[in-house]
CSV table of all heavy atoms in Angstrom, one decimal:
chain,number,residue,atom,x,y,z
A,48,MET,N,-5.1,16.2,-1.9
A,48,MET,CA,-4.8,14.9,-1.2
A,48,MET,C,-3.3,14.7,-1.2
A,48,MET,O,-2.6,14.9,-2.2
A,48,MET,CB,-5.5,13.8,-1.9
A,48,MET,CG,-5.1,12.4,-1.4
A,48,MET,SD,-5.9,11.0,-2.2
A,48,MET,CE,-5.6,11.3,-3.9
A,49,SER,N,-2.8,14.3,-0.1
A,49,SER,CA,-1.4,14.0,0.1
A,49,SER,C,-1.1,12.5,-0.3
A,49,SER,O,-1.8,11.7,0.2
A,49,SER,CB,-0.9,14.3,1.5
A,49,SER,OG,0.4,13.8,1.7
A,50,ILE,N,-0.1,12.3,-1.1
A,50,ILE,CA,0.2,10.9,-1.5
A,50,ILE,C,1.5,10.6,-0.7
A,50,ILE,O,2.5,11.3,-0.8
A,50,ILE,CB,0.5,10.8,-3.0
A,50,ILE,CG1,-0.9,11.1,-3.7
A,50,ILE,CG2,1.0,9.4,-3.3
A,50,ILE,CD1,-0.7,11.0,-5.2
A,51,GLU,N,1.4,9.5,0.0
A,51,GLU,CA,2.6,9.1,0.9
A,51,GLU,C,3.2,7.9,0.3
A,51,GLU,O,2.6,7.0,-0.2
A,51,GLU,CB,2.1,8.8,2.3
A,51,GLU,CG,1.4,9.9,3.0
A,51,GLU,CD,0.9,9.5,4.4
A,51,GLU,OE1,1.6,8.7,5.1
A,51,GLU,OE2,-0.2,9.9,4.8
A,52,ASN,N,4.5,7.9,0.4
A,52,ASN,CA,5.3,6.7,0.1
A,52,ASN,C,5.2,5.7,1.2
A,52,ASN,O,5.5,6.1,2.4
A,52,ASN,CB,6.8,7.0,-0.2
A,52,ASN,CG,6.9,7.9,-1.5
A,52,ASN,OD1,6.2,7.7,-2.5
A,52,ASN,ND2,7.7,8.9,-1.4
A,53,VAL,N,4.9,4.4,0.9
A,53,VAL,CA,4.8,3.4,1.9
A,53,VAL,C,5.4,2.1,1.4
A,53,VAL,O,5.6,1.9,0.2
A,53,VAL,CB,3.3,3.2,2.3
A,53,VAL,CG1,2.7,4.4,3.0
A,53,VAL,CG2,2.5,2.7,1.1
A,54,ASN,N,5.7,1.2,2.4
A,54,ASN,CA,6.1,-0.1,2.1
A,54,ASN,C,5.0,-1.0,2.7
A,54,ASN,O,4.2,-0.6,3.5
A,54,ASN,CB,7.4,-0.5,2.7
A,54,ASN,CG,8.6,0.3,2.0
A,54,ASN,OD1,9.2,1.1,2.7
A,54,ASN,ND2,8.8,0.0,0.8
A,55,ILE,N,5.0,-2.3,2.4
A,55,ILE,CA,4.1,-3.2,3.0
A,55,ILE,C,4.9,-4.2,3.9
A,55,ILE,O,6.1,-4.4,3.7
A,55,ILE,CB,3.3,-4.0,1.9
A,55,ILE,CG1,4.3,-4.8,1.0
A,55,ILE,CG2,2.4,-3.1,1.2
A,55,ILE,CD1,3.6,-5.8,0.1
A,56,LYS,N,4.2,-4.7,4.9
A,56,LYS,CA,4.8,-5.8,5.7
A,56,LYS,C,4.9,-7.1,4.9
A,56,LYS,O,4.2,-7.3,4.0
A,56,LYS,CB,3.9,-6.0,7.0
A,56,LYS,CG,3.9,-4.7,7.9
A,56,LYS,CD,3.0,-5.0,9.0
A,56,LYS,CE,2.9,-3.7,9.9
A,56,LYS,NZ,1.9,-3.9,11.0
A,57,PRO,N,5.9,-7.9,5.3
A,57,PRO,CA,6.1,-9.2,4.6
A,57,PRO,C,4.8,-10.0,4.7
A,57,PRO,O,4.0,-9.9,5.7
A,57,PRO,CB,7.2,-9.9,5.4
A,57,PRO,CG,7.9,-8.8,6.1
A,57,PRO,CD,6.9,-7.7,6.3
A,58,GLU,N,4.5,-10.7,3.6
A,58,GLU,CA,3.3,-11.6,3.5
A,58,GLU,C,2.0,-10.8,3.5
A,58,GLU,O,1.0,-11.4,3.9
A,58,GLU,CB,3.4,-12.7,4.5
A,58,GLU,CG,4.6,-13.6,4.4
A,58,GLU,CD,4.6,-14.8,5.3
A,58,GLU,OE1,3.5,-15.1,5.8
A,58,GLU,OE2,5.7,-15.4,5.4
A,59,THR,N,2.0,-9.6,3.0
A,59,THR,CA,0.8,-8.8,2.9
A,59,THR,C,-0.1,-9.4,1.8
A,59,THR,O,0.4,-9.8,0.7
A,59,THR,CB,1.1,-7.4,2.6
A,59,THR,OG1,1.7,-6.8,3.8
A,59,THR,CG2,-0.2,-6.6,2.4
A,60,ARG,N,-1.4,-9.5,2.0
A,60,ARG,CA,-2.3,-10.0,1.0
A,60,ARG,C,-3.2,-8.8,0.6
A,60,ARG,O,-3.5,-7.9,1.4
A,60,ARG,CB,-3.2,-11.1,1.6
A,60,ARG,CG,-2.4,-12.4,1.9
A,60,ARG,CD,-3.3,-13.4,2.6
A,60,ARG,NE,-2.5,-14.5,3.0
A,60,ARG,CZ,-2.5,-15.7,2.4
A,60,ARG,NH1,-3.3,-15.8,1.3
A,60,ARG,NH2,-1.8,-16.7,2.8
A,61,ASN,N,-3.7,-8.9,-0.6
A,61,ASN,CA,-4.6,-7.9,-1.1
A,61,ASN,C,-6.1,-8.3,-0.7
A,61,ASN,O,-6.3,-9.2,0.0
A,61,ASN,CB,-4.5,-7.7,-2.6
A,61,ASN,CG,-4.9,-8.9,-3.4
A,61,ASN,OD1,-5.6,-9.8,-2.9
A,61,ASN,ND2,-4.6,-8.9,-4.7
A,62,HIS,N,-7.0,-7.5,-1.1
A,62,HIS,CA,-8.4,-7.7,-0.7
A,62,HIS,C,-9.0,-9.0,-1.2
A,62,HIS,O,-10.0,-9.4,-0.7
A,62,HIS,CB,-9.3,-6.5,-1.1
A,62,HIS,CG,-9.5,-6.3,-2.6
A,62,HIS,ND1,-8.5,-6.1,-3.5
A,62,HIS,CD2,-10.6,-6.5,-3.3
A,62,HIS,CE1,-9.0,-6.0,-4.7
A,62,HIS,NE2,-10.3,-6.2,-4.6
A,63,LYS,N,-8.3,-9.6,-2.2
A,63,LYS,CA,-8.8,-10.9,-2.7
A,63,LYS,C,-8.1,-12.1,-2.1
A,63,LYS,O,-8.4,-13.2,-2.4
A,63,LYS,CB,-8.6,-10.9,-4.2
A,63,LYS,CG,-9.4,-9.9,-5.0
A,63,LYS,CD,-9.2,-10.0,-6.5
A,63,LYS,CE,-10.1,-9.0,-7.2
A,63,LYS,NZ,-9.9,-9.1,-8.7
A,64,GLY,N,-7.1,-11.8,-1.2
A,64,GLY,CA,-6.5,-12.9,-0.5
A,64,GLY,C,-5.1,-13.3,-1.1
A,64,GLY,O,-4.5,-14.2,-0.6
A,65,PHE,N,-4.7,-12.6,-2.2
A,65,PHE,CA,-3.5,-13.0,-2.8
A,65,PHE,C,-2.3,-12.2,-2.2
A,65,PHE,O,-2.4,-11.0,-1.9
A,65,PHE,CB,-3.6,-12.7,-4.3
A,65,PHE,CG,-4.6,-13.5,-5.0
A,65,PHE,CD1,-5.8,-13.0,-5.4
A,65,PHE,CD2,-4.3,-14.9,-5.3
A,65,PHE,CE1,-6.7,-13.8,-6.0
A,65,PHE,CE2,-5.2,-15.6,-6.0
A,65,PHE,CZ,-6.5,-15.1,-6.3
A,66,PHE,N,-1.1,-12.9,-2.1
A,66,PHE,CA,0.1,-12.1,-1.7
A,66,PHE,C,0.5,-11.1,-2.7
A,66,PHE,O,0.3,-11.4,-3.9
A,66,PHE,CB,1.2,-13.1,-1.5
A,66,PHE,CG,1.1,-14.0,-0.3
A,66,PHE,CD1,0.8,-15.4,-0.5
A,66,PHE,CD2,1.2,-13.5,1.0
A,66,PHE,CE1,0.6,-16.2,0.6
A,66,PHE,CE2,1.1,-14.4,2.1
A,66,PHE,CZ,0.8,-15.7,1.9
A,67,ILE,N,0.9,-10.0,-2.2
A,67,ILE,CA,1.4,-9.0,-3.2
A,67,ILE,C,2.9,-8.8,-3.0
A,67,ILE,O,3.5,-9.0,-1.9
A,67,ILE,CB,0.7,-7.6,-3.1
A,67,ILE,CG1,0.8,-7.0,-1.7
A,67,ILE,CG2,-0.8,-7.8,-3.4
A,67,ILE,CD1,0.2,-5.6,-1.7
A,68,GLN,N,3.6,-8.3,-4.0
A,68,GLN,CA,5.0,-8.2,-4.0
A,68,GLN,C,5.5,-7.0,-3.1
A,68,GLN,O,4.9,-5.9,-3.2
A,68,GLN,CB,5.5,-8.0,-5.5
A,68,GLN,CG,7.0,-7.9,-5.6
A,68,GLN,CD,7.4,-7.7,-7.1
A,68,GLN,OE1,6.6,-7.7,-8.0
A,68,GLN,NE2,8.7,-7.6,-7.3
A,69,GLU,N,6.5,-7.3,-2.4
A,69,GLU,CA,7.1,-6.2,-1.6
A,69,GLU,C,7.8,-5.2,-2.5
A,69,GLU,O,8.6,-5.6,-3.4
A,69,GLU,CB,8.1,-6.7,-0.6
A,69,GLU,CG,7.4,-7.5,0.5
A,69,GLU,CD,8.4,-8.0,1.6
A,69,GLU,OE1,9.2,-7.2,2.0
A,69,GLU,OE2,8.3,-9.2,2.0
A,70,ALA,N,7.4,-3.9,-2.4
A,70,ALA,CA,8.0,-2.9,-3.3
A,70,ALA,C,7.7,-1.5,-2.6
A,70,ALA,O,7.1,-1.5,-1.6
A,70,ALA,CB,7.3,-3.0,-4.7
A,71,ASP,N,8.1,-0.5,-3.3
A,71,ASP,CA,7.8,0.9,-2.9
A,71,ASP,C,6.5,1.2,-3.5
A,71,ASP,O,6.3,1.2,-4.7
A,71,ASP,CB,8.9,1.9,-3.3
A,71,ASP,CG,10.2,1.6,-2.6
A,71,ASP,OD1,10.2,1.2,-1.4
A,71,ASP,OD2,11.2,1.9,-3.2
A,72,TYR,N,5.5,1.6,-2.7
A,72,TYR,CA,4.2,1.9,-3.1
A,72,TYR,C,3.8,3.4,-2.7
A,72,TYR,O,4.5,3.9,-1.8
A,72,TYR,CB,3.1,1.0,-2.5
A,72,TYR,CG,3.1,-0.4,-2.9
A,72,TYR,CD1,3.9,-1.4,-2.3
A,72,TYR,CD2,2.4,-0.8,-4.1
A,72,TYR,CE1,3.9,-2.7,-2.7
A,72,TYR,CE2,2.4,-2.1,-4.5
A,72,TYR,CZ,3.2,-3.0,-3.8
A,72,TYR,OH,3.2,-4.3,-4.3
A,73,LYS,N,2.9,3.9,-3.4
A,73,LYS,CA,2.3,5.2,-3.0
A,73,LYS,C,0.9,4.9,-2.5
A,73,LYS,O,0.1,4.3,-3.1
A,73,LYS,CB,2.2,6.2,-4.2
A,73,LYS,CG,3.6,6.6,-4.7
A,73,LYS,CD,3.5,7.7,-5.7
A,73,LYS,CE,4.8,8.1,-6.3
A,73,LYS,NZ,5.8,8.5,-5.3
A,74,LEU,N,0.6,5.5,-1.3
A,74,LEU,CA,-0.7,5.4,-0.7
A,74,LEU,C,-1.6,6.4,-1.4
A,74,LEU,O,-1.4,7.6,-1.3
A,74,LEU,CB,-0.7,5.6,0.8
A,74,LEU,CG,-2.0,5.7,1.5
A,74,LEU,CD1,-2.8,4.4,1.3
A,74,LEU,CD2,-1.8,6.0,3.0
A,75,MET,N,-2.6,5.9,-2.1
A,75,MET,CA,-3.5,6.8,-2.9
A,75,MET,C,-4.6,7.3,-2.1
A,75,MET,O,-5.0,8.5,-2.1
A,75,MET,CB,-4.0,6.2,-4.2
A,75,MET,CG,-2.8,5.6,-5.0
A,75,MET,SD,-1.6,6.8,-5.5
A,75,MET,CE,-2.4,7.7,-6.7
A,76,LYS,N,-5.3,6.4,-1.3
A,76,LYS,CA,-6.4,6.7,-0.5
A,76,LYS,C,-6.8,5.5,0.4
A,76,LYS,O,-6.3,4.4,0.1
A,76,LYS,CB,-7.6,7.1,-1.4
A,76,LYS,CG,-8.2,6.0,-2.2
A,76,LYS,CD,-9.5,6.4,-2.9
A,76,LYS,CE,-10.1,5.2,-3.6
A,76,LYS,NZ,-11.4,5.5,-4.2
A,77,ILE,N,-7.7,5.8,1.3
A,77,ILE,CA,-8.3,4.7,2.1
A,77,ILE,C,-9.8,4.9,1.8
A,77,ILE,O,-10.4,5.9,2.0
A,77,ILE,CB,-8.0,4.8,3.6
A,77,ILE,CG1,-6.5,4.6,3.8
A,77,ILE,CG2,-8.8,3.8,4.4
A,77,ILE,CD1,-6.0,4.7,5.2
A,78,ASP,N,-10.4,3.8,1.2
A,78,ASP,CA,-11.8,4.0,0.8
A,78,ASP,C,-12.8,3.8,1.9
A,78,ASP,O,-12.4,3.6,3.1
A,78,ASP,CB,-12.1,3.0,-0.4
A,78,ASP,CG,-12.1,1.5,0.1
A,78,ASP,OD1,-12.2,1.2,1.3
A,78,ASP,OD2,-12.2,0.7,-0.8
A,79,ASP,N,-14.0,4.0,1.6
A,79,ASP,CA,-15.1,3.9,2.6
A,79,ASP,C,-15.2,2.6,3.3
A,79,ASP,O,-15.8,2.5,4.4
A,79,ASP,CB,-16.4,4.3,2.0
A,79,ASP,CG,-16.5,5.8,1.5
A,79,ASP,OD1,-15.7,6.6,2.0
A,79,ASP,OD2,-17.3,6.1,0.6
A,80,ASN,N,-14.7,1.5,2.7
A,80,ASN,CA,-14.8,0.2,3.3
A,80,ASN,C,-13.6,-0.1,4.1
A,80,ASN,O,-13.5,-1.2,4.7
A,80,ASN,CB,-14.9,-0.9,2.2
A,80,ASN,CG,-16.2,-0.7,1.4
A,80,ASN,OD1,-17.3,-0.5,2.0
A,80,ASN,ND2,-16.2,-0.9,0.1
A,81,GLY,N,-12.6,0.8,4.2
A,81,GLY,CA,-11.5,0.6,5.1
A,81,GLY,C,-10.3,0.1,4.4
A,81,GLY,O,-9.3,-0.2,5.0
A,82,TRP,N,-10.3,-0.2,3.1
A,82,TRP,CA,-9.2,-0.7,2.3
A,82,TRP,C,-8.3,0.5,1.9
A,82,TRP,O,-8.7,1.5,1.5
A,82,TRP,CB,-9.6,-1.5,1.1
A,82,TRP,CG,-10.3,-2.7,1.4
A,82,TRP,CD1,-11.6,-3.0,1.4
A,82,TRP,CD2,-9.7,-4.0,1.8
A,82,TRP,NE1,-11.9,-4.3,1.7
A,82,TRP,CE2,-10.7,-4.9,2.0
A,82,TRP,CE3,-8.4,-4.3,2.1
A,82,TRP,CZ2,-10.5,-6.2,2.4
A,82,TRP,CZ3,-8.1,-5.6,2.5
A,82,TRP,CH2,-9.2,-6.6,2.7
A,83,ALA,N,-7.0,0.3,2.0
A,83,ALA,CA,-6.0,1.2,1.5
A,83,ALA,C,-5.6,0.9,0.1
A,83,ALA,O,-5.3,-0.2,-0.3
A,83,ALA,CB,-4.7,1.2,2.4
A,84,LEU,N,-5.7,1.9,-0.8
A,84,LEU,CA,-5.4,1.7,-2.2
A,84,LEU,C,-3.9,2.2,-2.3
A,84,LEU,O,-3.6,3.3,-2.1
A,84,LEU,CB,-6.2,2.6,-3.1
A,84,LEU,CG,-5.9,2.5,-4.6
A,84,LEU,CD1,-6.0,1.1,-5.2
A,84,LEU,CD2,-6.7,3.5,-5.4
A,85,ILE,N,-3.0,1.2,-2.7
A,85,ILE,CA,-1.6,1.5,-2.9
A,85,ILE,C,-1.2,1.2,-4.4
A,85,ILE,O,-1.8,0.2,-4.9
A,85,ILE,CB,-0.7,0.7,-1.9
A,85,ILE,CG1,-0.9,-0.8,-2.0
A,85,ILE,CG2,-1.0,1.2,-0.5
A,85,ILE,CD1,0.1,-1.6,-1.2
A,86,CYS,N,-0.3,2.0,-4.9
A,86,CYS,CA,0.0,1.8,-6.3
A,86,CYS,C,1.5,1.9,-6.5
A,86,CYS,O,2.2,2.7,-5.8
A,86,CYS,CB,-0.6,2.9,-7.2
A,86,CYS,SG,-2.4,2.8,-7.2
A,87,VAL,N,2.1,1.0,-7.4
A,87,VAL,CA,3.5,1.1,-7.8
A,87,VAL,C,3.6,2.2,-8.9
A,87,VAL,O,4.5,3.0,-8.9
A,87,VAL,CB,4.0,-0.2,-8.3
A,87,VAL,CG1,5.4,-0.1,-8.9
A,87,VAL,CG2,4.0,-1.3,-7.2
A,88,ASP,N,2.6,2.1,-9.8
A,88,ASP,CA,2.6,3.0,-11.0
A,88,ASP,C,1.1,3.1,-11.4
A,88,ASP,O,0.2,2.7,-10.7
A,88,ASP,CB,3.5,2.6,-12.1
A,88,ASP,CG,3.2,1.2,-12.6
A,88,ASP,OD1,2.0,0.7,-12.5
A,88,ASP,OD2,4.2,0.5,-13.0
A,89,ASP,N,0.9,3.7,-12.6
A,89,ASP,CA,-0.5,3.8,-13.0
A,89,ASP,C,-1.2,2.5,-13.4
A,89,ASP,O,-2.4,2.5,-13.4
A,89,ASP,CB,-0.6,4.8,-14.3
A,89,ASP,CG,-0.2,6.2,-13.9
A,89,ASP,OD1,-0.4,6.6,-12.7
A,89,ASP,OD2,0.2,6.9,-14.8
A,90,ALA,N,-0.4,1.5,-13.6
A,90,ALA,CA,-1.0,0.2,-14.0
A,90,ALA,C,-1.1,-0.9,-12.9
A,90,ALA,O,-1.9,-1.8,-13.0
A,90,ALA,CB,-0.2,-0.4,-15.2
A,91,VAL,N,-0.3,-0.7,-11.8
A,91,VAL,CA,-0.2,-1.7,-10.8
A,91,VAL,C,-0.7,-1.1,-9.4
A,91,VAL,O,0.1,-0.4,-8.8
A,91,VAL,CB,1.2,-2.3,-10.7
A,91,VAL,CG1,1.3,-3.3,-9.6
A,91,VAL,CG2,1.7,-2.9,-12.0
A,92,CYS,N,-1.9,-1.5,-9.0
A,92,CYS,CA,-2.4,-1.0,-7.8
A,92,CYS,C,-3.1,-2.2,-7.0
A,92,CYS,O,-3.5,-3.2,-7.6
A,92,CYS,CB,-3.5,0.0,-8.0
A,92,CYS,SG,-2.8,1.6,-8.7
A,93,HIS,N,-3.1,-2.1,-5.7
A,93,HIS,CA,-3.7,-3.1,-4.9
A,93,HIS,C,-4.5,-2.5,-3.7
A,93,HIS,O,-4.1,-1.4,-3.2
A,93,HIS,CB,-2.6,-4.0,-4.2
A,93,HIS,CG,-1.7,-4.7,-5.2
A,93,HIS,ND1,-2.1,-5.8,-5.9
A,93,HIS,CD2,-0.5,-4.4,-5.6
A,93,HIS,CE1,-1.1,-6.2,-6.6
A,93,HIS,NE2,-0.1,-5.3,-6.5
A,94,TYR,N,-5.6,-3.1,-3.3
A,94,TYR,CA,-6.3,-2.8,-2.1
A,94,TYR,C,-5.7,-3.7,-1.0
A,94,TYR,O,-5.7,-4.9,-1.1
A,94,TYR,CB,-7.8,-3.0,-2.2
A,94,TYR,CG,-8.5,-1.8,-3.0
A,94,TYR,CD1,-8.8,-2.0,-4.3
A,94,TYR,CD2,-8.7,-0.6,-2.3
A,94,TYR,CE1,-9.4,-0.9,-5.0
A,94,TYR,CE2,-9.4,0.4,-3.0
A,94,TYR,CZ,-9.7,0.2,-4.3
A,94,TYR,OH,-10.3,1.3,-5.0
A,95,VAL,N,-5.3,-3.1,0.1
A,95,VAL,CA,-4.7,-3.9,1.3
A,95,VAL,C,-5.3,-3.3,2.6
A,95,VAL,O,-5.8,-2.2,2.6
A,95,VAL,CB,-3.2,-3.8,1.3
A,95,VAL,CG1,-2.6,-4.4,0.0
A,95,VAL,CG2,-2.7,-2.4,1.5
A,96,ASP,N,-5.1,-4.1,3.6
A,96,ASP,CA,-5.4,-3.7,5.0
A,96,ASP,C,-4.5,-2.6,5.4
A,96,ASP,O,-3.2,-2.8,5.3
A,96,ASP,CB,-5.3,-4.8,5.9
A,96,ASP,CG,-5.8,-4.5,7.3
A,96,ASP,OD1,-5.7,-3.4,7.7
A,96,ASP,OD2,-6.2,-5.5,8.0
A,97,PRO,N,-4.9,-1.4,5.8
A,97,PRO,CA,-4.0,-0.3,6.2
A,97,PRO,C,-3.0,-0.7,7.3
A,97,PRO,O,-2.0,-0.2,7.4
A,97,PRO,CB,-5.0,0.8,6.7
A,97,PRO,CG,-6.2,0.5,6.0
A,97,PRO,CD,-6.3,-1.0,5.9
A,98,ASP,N,-3.4,-1.7,8.1
A,98,ASP,CA,-2.5,-2.2,9.2
A,98,ASP,C,-1.2,-2.9,8.6
A,98,ASP,O,-0.3,-3.1,9.3
A,98,ASP,CB,-3.2,-3.2,10.1
A,98,ASP,CG,-4.3,-2.5,11.0
A,98,ASP,OD1,-4.2,-1.3,11.1
A,98,ASP,OD2,-5.2,-3.2,11.5
A,99,ASP,N,-1.3,-3.3,7.3
A,99,ASP,CA,-0.1,-3.9,6.7
A,99,ASP,C,0.8,-2.9,6.0
A,99,ASP,O,1.8,-3.3,5.4
A,99,ASP,CB,-0.6,-4.9,5.6
A,99,ASP,CG,-1.2,-6.1,6.2
A,99,ASP,OD1,-0.8,-6.5,7.3
A,99,ASP,OD2,-2.1,-6.7,5.6
A,100,LEU,N,0.6,-1.6,6.2
A,100,LEU,CA,1.4,-0.6,5.7
A,100,LEU,C,2.4,-0.1,6.7
A,100,LEU,O,2.2,-0.1,7.9
A,100,LEU,CB,0.6,0.6,5.2
A,100,LEU,CG,-0.5,0.3,4.1
A,100,LEU,CD1,-1.2,1.6,3.8
A,100,LEU,CD2,0.1,-0.3,2.9
A,101,GLN,N,3.6,0.4,6.2
A,101,GLN,CA,4.6,1.0,7.0
A,101,GLN,C,5.2,2.1,6.2
A,101,GLN,O,5.3,2.0,5.0
A,101,GLN,CB,5.6,0.1,7.6
A,101,GLN,CG,6.3,-0.8,6.6
A,101,GLN,CD,7.0,-2.0,7.2
A,101,GLN,OE1,6.7,-2.4,8.3
A,101,GLN,NE2,7.9,-2.5,6.5
A,102,ALA,N,5.6,3.2,6.9
A,102,ALA,CA,6.2,4.3,6.2
A,102,ALA,C,7.6,3.9,5.6
A,102,ALA,O,8.2,3.1,6.2
A,102,ALA,CB,6.4,5.5,7.1
A,103,THR,N,7.9,4.5,4.5
A,103,THR,CA,9.3,4.2,3.9
A,103,THR,C,10.3,4.9,4.8
A,103,THR,O,10.0,5.9,5.4
A,103,THR,CB,9.4,4.7,2.5
A,103,THR,OG1,9.1,6.1,2.4
A,103,THR,CG2,8.5,3.9,1.6
A,104,SER,N,11.5,4.3,4.8
A,104,SER,CA,12.6,4.9,5.6
A,104,SER,C,13.6,5.4,4.6
A,104,SER,O,14.7,4.8,4.5
A,104,SER,CB,13.2,4.0,6.6
A,104,SER,OG,13.6,2.8,5.9
A,105,ASP,N,13.3,6.4,3.8
A,105,ASP,CA,14.2,6.9,2.8
A,105,ASP,C,15.1,8.0,3.2
A,105,ASP,O,15.8,8.6,2.5
A,105,ASP,CB,13.4,7.4,1.5
A,105,ASP,CG,12.4,8.5,1.8
A,105,ASP,OD1,12.4,9.0,3.0
A,105,ASP,OD2,11.7,8.8,0.9
A,106,GLY,N,15.1,8.3,4.6
A,106,GLY,CA,15.9,9.3,5.1
A,106,GLY,C,15.4,10.8,5.0
A,106,GLY,O,16.0,11.7,5.5
A,107,ASP,N,14.2,10.9,4.4
A,107,ASP,CA,13.6,12.3,4.2
A,107,ASP,C,12.5,12.4,5.3
A,107,ASP,O,11.5,11.7,5.2
A,107,ASP,CB,13.0,12.4,2.8
A,107,ASP,CG,12.4,13.8,2.6
A,107,ASP,OD1,12.6,14.7,3.4
A,107,ASP,OD2,11.7,13.9,1.6
A,108,ASN,N,12.7,13.3,6.2
A,108,ASN,CA,11.7,13.4,7.3
A,108,ASN,C,10.7,14.5,7.0
A,108,ASN,O,9.9,14.9,7.8
A,108,ASN,CB,12.4,13.7,8.6
A,108,ASN,CG,13.2,15.0,8.6
A,108,ASN,OD1,13.1,15.8,7.7
A,108,ASN,ND2,13.9,15.3,9.7
A,109,GLY,N,10.7,15.0,5.7
A,109,GLY,CA,9.7,16.0,5.3
A,109,GLY,C,9.9,17.4,5.8
A,109,GLY,O,9.0,18.2,5.6
A,110,GLN,N,11.0,17.7,6.3
A,110,GLN,CA,11.2,19.1,6.8
A,110,GLN,C,12.2,19.8,5.9
A,110,GLN,O,13.1,19.3,5.4
A,110,GLN,CB,11.7,19.1,8.2
A,110,GLN,CG,10.7,18.5,9.2
A,110,GLN,CD,11.2,18.6,10.6
A,110,GLN,OE1,12.3,18.9,10.9
A,110,GLN,NE2,10.3,18.2,11.5
């Protein structure tokens, strides 16, 4: 599985309706219900709508 670095759009809410902090996240998976699991580290993860994700612009195009 490929883990991608992502950011969230402003005012993104998790699956429980709470706002989550804007930060650099890793996209871990998209589950069977359509939620994207994103994590800052091993302890901080959130389920969000995949439409609220955007690729990071760290200057690395993967080539």
